[in-house]
């Protein structure tokens, strides 16, 4: 019993009639790395908020360090040593590292007057505990994402954290940064500090956790030892179905041999150099590599947002200068950006307006004004084609789920009738079931004769959905491989230079 | 490079002020005379106090445009009250003026902290509300030097020390500098060494994060608007004493110049970053420009042109650097 840090029993919670959690249990031991997984809407965030005392459950009881709580408040939770690191990290970007680390502690102590020496010493001491050096005077906004995360973790440690809850901490980190985050988590574990880790990336879940609790639709599916699980089992528990990853086959006979896109010796200093490849109609060409390997930079160049310094882009046998997205669209190129919230969509605008934004010229009347009837026709056509599920097409895009939002981005580009479609991370932060549907859609597009460039850092995604894969490293395509000849692990090792 | 900007921003301002002063001195020797420097200090005091108030509100992530109405209301009410009461006391004038400022500031604070109304909208409302109250209830009659109670006249003329020039005239440093220094020192200490001050910065950085850190946002906002109202009350007495004449429509309309001066001083309009040194340098630069254009033989309409140009250049420069940085990071925001 002493080993139990947190026991939450029979937790139920509903929000205005919608049951978010039903009789869910979770137990976290001291020094344990516990993962909480589940699809969007499975109740993960509600459970975290209940443990943090921010949300009060309708039913259930919580025991922390042997203390029983019928109604756990946020202050109780902090006093018991529970610290939540939210996805936005809750830092103060324009204040120094030292102040960011120490401020919460000083607020908690109820200080009135500040001693800057003490702030620095406190920050230094806590950083030393996890053997990390940061410039204490640096403003937090100038730090890398990984260092910001470290500041947030160290801040949690200043408040005597016994359990640190991390909400998707790895989504903005590179592979190396994830590794160093994991070593910090393991270090905390050594010191008896538990971590509750929430992630969408299953390989990470399997790598770091001792125990995994799976939620689905507000119910607890089960608590598993890490040893009992593998990728497929985890997917099955999360979705309730098995998802078959078949392999994409390129139909050579169906399309002409001549490439629709040729890239020759494309170079931009510090971004990529001597990149050459070709793309035929009906192909799905994968591009993978570590974050910072130049994949996105290259994609942006093809779409005119990051003009290259030298080299040629040849579309349909003709050399093209692509200096802006306008040029790219004229060449029949579409681009689905990695960050759909900021770059792919107008979140507050309606679903319909988002779909027709690329083809406004096609829905004009004779006088150059927008024709409502032509507009509706296009919107209906594309939303039914892509099976966008929405209560009304006049609702803002932000009201849709991630999967449906991505369909809107796909729709808006397909409306332009592209010959070449660049997809950068098309399934980032999309739950597993919708992911499979989007993969199917991409393959269908290829079958219709669109040439697709699929960029992803998920190796299984490119492995199953591409007929050729370019491996990028430090701005160069090192190798173009046939996915049929490699396993996921072999590609992983190639990218990470482990032989 | 980036991390040096806040420090160098103040350096740039000092350099600009020095270069400008040299140019003015070359054209007109009288600029560097002790008399003129004292004069600029005296006329800049009020603006500097207003600037400190603007700084505090900007740091907290807000924008206040009602401060001129607060300052003139408190000054005017103090004059009229002293006239009506017949007690000619400077202390009482300050007490009345600061109380009026505090009450008006508290009204701002309550509207902003409790009703969560965006600060610009709230203070646009209160700017008209306070000024309207003053004009309709207290009156629109201006008070001239002859009617003005002696305490204001004496305060306006009082000097800390006097010097006699070669030509035999006496010049002196105005006592206005005393309340100014008090406000600066107190505010500096507040912002740098108290939890309340750091909470103001924290709220300006991110209200959400401040809440999660356990900072009492409502209390902090309430405090800061009261404090700003209070120092606007001090400014009220100074401004009526300086011009020895008070008209209740004076000052209102100059809000944006003061805000511009503080922003030129490197204080972020979006909140959370800025120093009192920067704010004072910004106000200093504007004050020097204002009082020297005549020495250069330029009409006062050049003032707007200069302020606008400095603002566009200084903000344009930082934005340009940000843009280069964003391009490097492939960020198209």
């Amino acid at each position: 019993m002493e080993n139990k840090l947190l026991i939450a029993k029979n937790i139920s919670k509903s929000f205005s009639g919608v049951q978010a959690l039903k009789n869910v249990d979770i137990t976290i031991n001291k020094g344990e790395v516990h993962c909480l997984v589940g699809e969007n809407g499975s109740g993960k965030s509600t459970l975290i908020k209940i443990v943090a005392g921010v949300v009060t459950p309708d039913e259930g009881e919580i025991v922390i360090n042997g203390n029983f709580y019928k109604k756990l408040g946020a202050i109780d939770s902090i006093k018991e040593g529970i610290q939540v690191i939210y996805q936005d990290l809750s830092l103060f970007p324009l204040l120094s590292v030292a102040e960011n680390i120490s401020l919460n502690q000083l607020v908690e102590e109820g200080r009135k007057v500040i001693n800057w020496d003490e702030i620095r010493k406190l920050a230094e001491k806590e950083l030393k505990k996890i053997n990390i050096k940061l410039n204490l005077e640096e403003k937090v906004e100038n730090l890398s994402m990984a260092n910001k995360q470290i500041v947030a973790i160290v801040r949690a440690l200043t408040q005597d954290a016994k359990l640190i809850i991390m909400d998707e901490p790895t989504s903005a980190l590179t592979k190396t940064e994830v590794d160093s985050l994991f070593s910090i988590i393991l270090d905390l574990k050594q010191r008896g500090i538990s971590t509750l880790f929430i992630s969408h990336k299953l390989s990470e879940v399997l790598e770091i956790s001792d125990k995994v609790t799976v939620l689905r639709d507000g119910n607890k599916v089960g608590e598993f030892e890490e040893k009992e699980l593998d990728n497929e089992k985890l997917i099955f528990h999360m979705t309730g179905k098995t998802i078959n990853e078949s392999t994409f086959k390129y139909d050579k006979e169906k399309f002409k041999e001549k490439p629709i896109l040729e890239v020759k010796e494309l170079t931009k200093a510090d971004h990529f150099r001597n990149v050459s490849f070709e793309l035929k109609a009906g192909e799905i060409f994968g591009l993978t590599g570590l974050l910072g390997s130049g994949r996105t930079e290259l994609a942006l160049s093809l779409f005119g947002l990051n003009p290259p310094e030298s080299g040629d882009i040849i579309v349909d046998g003709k050399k093209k200068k692509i200096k802006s997205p306008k040029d790219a669209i004229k060449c029949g190129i579409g681009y689905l950006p990695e960050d759909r919230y900021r770059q792919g969509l107008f979140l507050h605008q309606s679903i319909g307006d988002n779909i027709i934004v690329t083809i406004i010229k096609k829905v004009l009347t004779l006088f150059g004004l927008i024709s409502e009837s032509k507009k509706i026709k296009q919107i209906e056509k594309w939303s039914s084609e892509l099976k966008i599920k929405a209560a009304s097409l006049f609702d803002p895009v932000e009201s849709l789920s991630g999967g449906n939002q991505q369909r809107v981005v796909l729709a808006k580009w397909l409306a332009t009738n592209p010959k070449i479609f660049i997809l950068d991370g098309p399934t980032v932060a999309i739950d597993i079931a919708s992911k499979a549907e989007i993969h199917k859609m991409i393959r269908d597009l290829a079958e219709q004769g669109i040439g697709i460039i699929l960029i992803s850092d998920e190796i299984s995604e490119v492995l199953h959905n591409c007929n050729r894969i370019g491996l990028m490293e430090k701005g160069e395509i090192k190798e173009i491989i046939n996915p049929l000849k490699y396993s996921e692990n072999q590609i992983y090792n190639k990218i990470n230079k482990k032989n | 490079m980036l991390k040096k900007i806040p420090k160098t921003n103040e350096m740039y301002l000092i350099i600009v002020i020095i270069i400008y002063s040299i140019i003015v001195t070359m054209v007109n020797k009288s600029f560097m005379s002790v008399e003129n420097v004292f004069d600029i200090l005296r006329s800049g005091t009020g603006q500097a106090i207003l600037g400190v108030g603007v700084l505090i509100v900007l740091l907290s992530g807000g924008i206040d445009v009602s401060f001129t109405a607060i300052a003139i209301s408190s000054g005017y009410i103090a004059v009229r009250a002293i006239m009506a009461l017949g007690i000619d006391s400077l202390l009482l004038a300050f007490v009345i003026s600061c109380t009026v400022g505090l009450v008006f500031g508290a009204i701002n604070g309550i509207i902003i902290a409790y009703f969560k109304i965006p600060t610009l909208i709230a203070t646009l409302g209160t700017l008209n509300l306070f000024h309207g109250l003053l004009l309709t209830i207290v009156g629109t009659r201006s008070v001239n030097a002859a009617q003005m109670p002696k305490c204001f006249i004496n305060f306006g003329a009082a000097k800390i020390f006097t010097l006699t020039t070669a030509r035999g005239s006496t010049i002196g440093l105005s006592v206005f500098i005393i309340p100014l220094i008090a406000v600066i020192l107190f505010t500096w200490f507040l912002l740098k060494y108290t939890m309340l001050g750091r909470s103001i910065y924290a709220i300006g950085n991110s209200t959400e994060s401040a809440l999660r850190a356990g900072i009492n946002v409502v209390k902090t906002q309430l405090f800061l608007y009261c404090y700003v109202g209070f120092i606007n009350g001090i400014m009220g007495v100074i401004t009526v004493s300086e011009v020895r004449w008070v008209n209740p429509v004076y000052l209102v309309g100059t809000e944006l110049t003061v805000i511009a001066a503080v922003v030129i001083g490197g204080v972020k309009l979006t909140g959370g970053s800025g120093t009192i040194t920067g704010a004072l340098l910004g106000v200093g630069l504007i004050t020097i420009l204002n009082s020297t254009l005549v020495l250069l033989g330029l009409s006062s309409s050049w003032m707007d042109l200069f302020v606008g140009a400095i603002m566009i250049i200084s903000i344009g420069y930082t934005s340009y650097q940000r843009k280069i940085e964003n391009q490097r990071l492939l960020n198209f925001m």
Side-chain angles (χ1 to χ4, degrees):
Chain A
M1 197 55 196
E2 302 88 71
N3 200 27
K4 300 265 181 288
L5 177 66
L6 171 103
I7 307 167
K9 249 193 217 154
N10 297 326
I11 305 287
S12 295
K13 175 77 192 172
S14 61
F15 293 104
S16 51
V18 180
Q19 192 84 27
L21 286 174
K22 272 168 270 176
N23 282 323
V24 171
D25 298 336
I26 189 165
T27 306
I28 297 171
N29 294 327
K30 284 182 186 153
E32 177 180 87
V33 181
H34 197 117
C35 278
L36 186 60
V37 297
E39 299 215 82
N40 292 335
S42 60
K44 287 174 302 185
S45 33
T46 311
L47 186 56
I48 297 173
K49 284 181 187 152
I50 287 173
V51 172
V54 180
V55 168
T56 317
D58 301 335
E59 273 170 58
E61 51 192 52
I62 297 170
V63 180
I64 312 173
N65 300 313
N67 299 322
F68 176 85
Y69 289 95
K70 188 70 203 162
K71 209 177 163 194
L72 181 77
I75 302 289
D76 304 323
S77 176
I78 291 171
K79 284 202 176 127
E80 290 286 5
I82 294 179
Q83 286 287 325
V84 185
I85 299 175
Y86 293 94
Q87 232 174 327
D88 64 13
L89 301 180
S90 302
L91 295 173
F92 302 108
L94 301 168
L95 301 183
S96 71
V97 169
E99 200 174 359
N100 266 283
I101 291 175
S102 313
L103 193 67
N104 289 22
Q105 170 67 12
L106 300 180
V107 171
E108 203 196 339
E109 284 174 14
R111 287 298 180 80
K112 296 274 179 277
V113 179
I114 301 278
N115 177 345
W116 285 92
D117 249 7
E118 194 191 338
I119 286 188
R120 272 185 289 271
K121 280 199 185 116
L122 184 63
E124 219 164 280
K125 192 182 89 193
E126 295 295 335
L127 277 169
K128 211 174 243 164
K129 278 190 194 161
I130 57 168
N131 286 319
I132 282 174
K133 278 213 169 91
L134 286 176
N135 178 0
L136 292 177
E137 303 304 322
E138 183 74 273
K139 278 189 189 178
V140 161
E141 79 170 343
N142 299 331
L143 298 181
S144 70
M145 198 59 206
N147 282 342
K148 283 181 190 161
Q149 210 132 38
I150 287 169
V151 172
I153 293 172
V154 174
R155 179 173 69 183
L157 293 178
T158 61
Q159 291 179 282
D160 277 327
K162 298 201 176 67
L163 168 66
I164 299 182
I165 303 177
M166 297 186 195
D167 191 0
E168 299 223 25
T170 60
S171 47
L173 300 186
T174 65
K175 184 75 186 101
T176 354
E177 288 171 338
V178 171
D179 287 344
S180 65
L181 175 69
F182 282 2
S183 73
I184 293 173
I185 293 179
L186 293 178
D187 184 56
L188 296 177
K189 181 186 157 112
Q190 292 286 313
R191 292 166 37 204
I193 299 170
S194 317
T195 307
L196 180 61
F197 185 90
I198 290 124
S199 176
H200 265 295
K201 297 186 181 166
L202 302 184
S203 55
E204 286 173 359
V205 171
L206 293 170
E207 187 181 337
I208 188 75
S209 54
D210 302 318
K211 275 202 192 128
V212 181
T213 293
V214 182
L215 296 181
R216 191 201 308 153
D217 300 329
N219 292 302
K220 179 173 166 178
V221 177
E223 186 185 289
F224 306 92
E225 295 282 328
E226 183 267 326
K227 285 167 248 140
E228 306 170 50
L229 292 171
D230 59 27
N231 215 12
E232 271 115 72
K233 278 187 196 148
L234 201 49
I235 290 178
F236 175 74
H237 291 311
M238 286 164 69
T239 61
K241 35 190 164 188
T242 31
I243 286 169
N244 280 328
E245 290 269 29
S246 61
T247 313
F248 169 72
K249 285 193 191 68
Y250 165 56
D251 190 349
K252 240 184 200 168
E253 310 302 312
K254 204 165 150 192
F255 304 103
K256 46 181 181 179
E257 268 300 297
K258 237 177 110 217
I260 47 171
L261 174 73
E262 288 168 85
V263 173
K264 284 189 181 154
E265 313 250 303
L266 214 59
T267 297
K268 172 147 187 171
D270 295 332
H271 287 182
F272 49 82
R273 58 181 178 277
N274 290 332
V275 170
S276 302
F277 67 89
E278 48 176 60
L279 179 73
K280 293 184 186 116
E283 267 197 312
I284 304 179
F285 178 63
L287 267 180
T288 189
L290 299 176
L291 217 82
S293 60
R295 325 176 296 216
T296 297
E297 288 82 346
L298 174 63
L300 289 172
S301 288
L302 297 177
F303 194 61
L305 280 167
N306 185 24
E309 282 152 4
S310 65
D312 295 325
I313 300 172
I314 299 163
V315 180
D316 263 342
K318 281 178 224 109
K319 217 192 238 184
K320 299 277 185 187
K321 279 254 175 288
I322 300 178
K323 283 188 189 149
S324 69
K326 212 170 154 185
D327 295 341
I329 292 167
K330 260 190 216 149
C331 294
I333 300 176
Y335 173 66
L336 178 141
E338 194 172 13
D339 183 348
R340 73 170 167 273
Y341 301 108
R342 294 200 308 171
Q343 297 173 357
L345 291 167
F346 301 99
L347 283 177
H348 305 306
Q349 300 293 324
S350 75
I351 298 164
D353 285 347
N354 267 283
I355 293 175
I356 56 129
V357 68
T358 49
I359 49 160
I360 285 186
K361 284 200 178 128
K362 286 191 200 164
V363 298
L364 299 182
T365 62
L366 280 176
F367 305 105
L369 301 172
I370 293 176
S371 150
E372 206 61 25
S373 60
K374 283 188 192 171
K375 188 175 122 179
I376 303 258
K377 224 164 144 189
Q378 288 287 342
I379 293 172
E380 280 172 352
K381 178 182 165 198
W382 290 107
S383 57
S384 67
E385 194 120 325
L386 286 160
K387 303 189 186 73
I388 294 166
K389 288 180 213 110
S392 155
L393 293 170
F394 297 104
D395 284 348
V397 158
E398 60 195 338
S399 66
L400 294 176
S401 69
N404 274 312
Q405 285 180 1
Q406 199 66 303
R407 284 164 202 250
V408 174
V409 187
L410 284 170
K412 96 172 181 195
W413 285 114
L414 294 179
T416 66
N417 214 352
K419 287 179 289 191
I420 301 159
F421 199 178
I422 306 167
L423 304 155
D424 194 354
T427 59
V428 170
I430 283 177
D431 55 59
I432 295 163
S434 322
K435 207 165 167 174
E437 286 169 36
I438 285 180
H439 286 158
K440 180 168 181 307
M441 234 175 255
I442 295 172
R443 292 173 185 204
D444 289 347
L445 294 176
E447 262 160 42
Q448 289 161 29
I450 298 177
I452 290 173
I453 299 175
L454 174 62
I455 302 169
S456 177
D457 55 1
E458 243 182 276
I459 294 165
S460 68
E461 183 163 53
V462 285
L463 186 71
H464 295 298
N465 294 298
C466 301
N467 61 311
R468 284 185 302 137
I469 304 171
L471 304 180
M472 282 196 84
E473 188 195 322
K474 291 181 187 149
E476 286 181 77
I477 295 189
K478 285 281 175 198
E479 203 179 343
I480 293 180
I481 61 170
N482 179 348
L484 297 175
K485 294 187 181 150
Y486 290 88
S487 74
E488 194 172 335
N489 265 333
Q490 283 170 316
I491 300 180
Y492 180 85
N493 289 339
K494 264 181 184 294
I495 291 172
N496 289 288
K497 289 277 159 209
K498 291 177 197 159
N499 290 313
Chain B
M1 177 65 200
L2 262 174
K3 70 177 175 189
K4 285 182 189 153
I5 284 178
K7 280 179 197 136
T8 53
N9 191 38
E10 284 146 22
M11 274 313 293
Y12 286 145
L13 273 173
I14 292 174
I15 292 167
V16 169
I17 291 174
I18 291 173
I19 293 175
Y20 180 77
S21 304
I22 292 171
I23 295 172
V24 179
T25 315
M26 286 191 312
V27 177
N28 193 327
K29 287 243 163 45
S30 63
F31 172 70
M32 268 303 174
S33 68
V34 179
E35 186 177 8
N36 195 44
V37 172
F38 283 2
D39 231 31
I40 290 175
L41 278 175
R42 182 172 182 267
S43 64
T45 306
Q47 296 291 306
I49 290 182
L50 290 182
V52 170
V54 169
L55 164 76
I56 296 170
V57 176
L58 286 183
L59 285 179
S60 77
I63 295 180
D64 178 3
V65 292
S66 69
F67 61 92
T68 49
I70 296 181
I72 197 64
S73 301
S74 27
Y76 184 70
I77 291 172
V79 172
R80 294 286 298 266
I82 296 273
M83 284 165 70
L85 293 169
I87 309 166
D88 202 351
S89 149
L90 184 66
L91 181 69
L92 184 63
F94 269 110
V95 170
I96 295 169
S97 184
C98 290
T99 310
V100 173
L102 193 71
V103 169
F104 282 180
I107 294 173
N108 272 340
I110 289 167
I111 294 175
I112 289 163
Y114 287 110
F115 300 110
K116 313 272 177 243
I117 295 174
T119 55
L120 179 62
I121 296 169
T123 54
L124 263 176
T126 54
L127 166 69
N128 292 307
L129 177 75
F130 298 155
H131 204 216
L133 276 176
L134 181 74
L135 297 181
T136 50
I137 296 176
V138 187
T140 50
R141 189 160 61 88
S142 59
V143 178
N144 61 34
Q147 303 162 313
M148 192 81 125
K150 285 283 162 300
C151 63
F152 293 101
I153 305 279
N154 293 340
F155 181 52
K159 307 277 184 263
I160 297 177
F161 59 85
T162 50
L163 303 166
T164 310
T165 60
R167 276 176 285 142
S169 60
T170 57
I171 51 169
L173 182 61
S174 167
V175 289
F176 289 172
I177 203 96
I178 296 171
L180 174 64
I181 289 176
V183 166
I184 291 173
L185 284 180
F186 187 80
T187 308
W188 170 77
F189 181 80
L190 174 81
L191 289 177
K192 181 133 198 212
Y193 291 104
T194 69
M195 189 47 100
L196 213 47
R198 300 320 290 173
S199 302
I200 293 174
Y201 277 91
I203 292 172
N205 268 266
S206 159
T207 311
E208 187 71 36
S209 304
L211 275 172
R212 284 179 187 162
I215 289 170
N216 190 333
V217 174
V218 168
K219 206 175 97 189
T220 310
Q221 281 186 324
L222 212 50
F223 165 79
L224 82 94
Y225 285 99
C226 288
Y227 178 67
V228 171
F230 181 83
I231 62 176
N232 286 335
I234 298 178
M235 154 67 177
V237 176
I238 291 177
T239 195
V240 296
S241 308
E242 183 198 349
V243 290
R244 298 193 301 161
W245 171 84
V246 54
N247 178 348
V249 296
Y250 185 57
L251 271 187
V252 174
T254 63
E255 304 83 35
L256 294 183
T257 318
V258 184
I259 295 177
V262 173
V263 170
I264 287 172
V267 180
K268 273 214 160 124
L269 210 50
T270 44
S273 174
T275 61
I276 196 164
T277 324
L280 291 172
L281 285 170
V283 173
L285 178 62
I286 301 298
T287 308
I288 292 173
L289 274 178
N290 206 2
S291 54
T292 52
L293 288 173
V294 187
L295 297 182
L296 288 176
L298 298 173
S299 72
S300 62
S301 55
W302 282 78
M303 179 67 188
D304 290 341
L305 195 150
F306 277 129
V307 174
I310 294 172
M311 192 136 167
I312 297 212
I313 292 169
S314 69
I315 294 177
Y317 177 71
T318 19
S319 306
Y320 181 71
Q321 280 195 324
R322 181 60 57 190
K323 187 185 159 199
I324 299 279
E325 180 67 9
N326 279 345
Q327 261 171 7
R328 200 178 62 74
L329 298 171
L330 294 173
N331 200 340
F332 303 103
M333 295 300 283

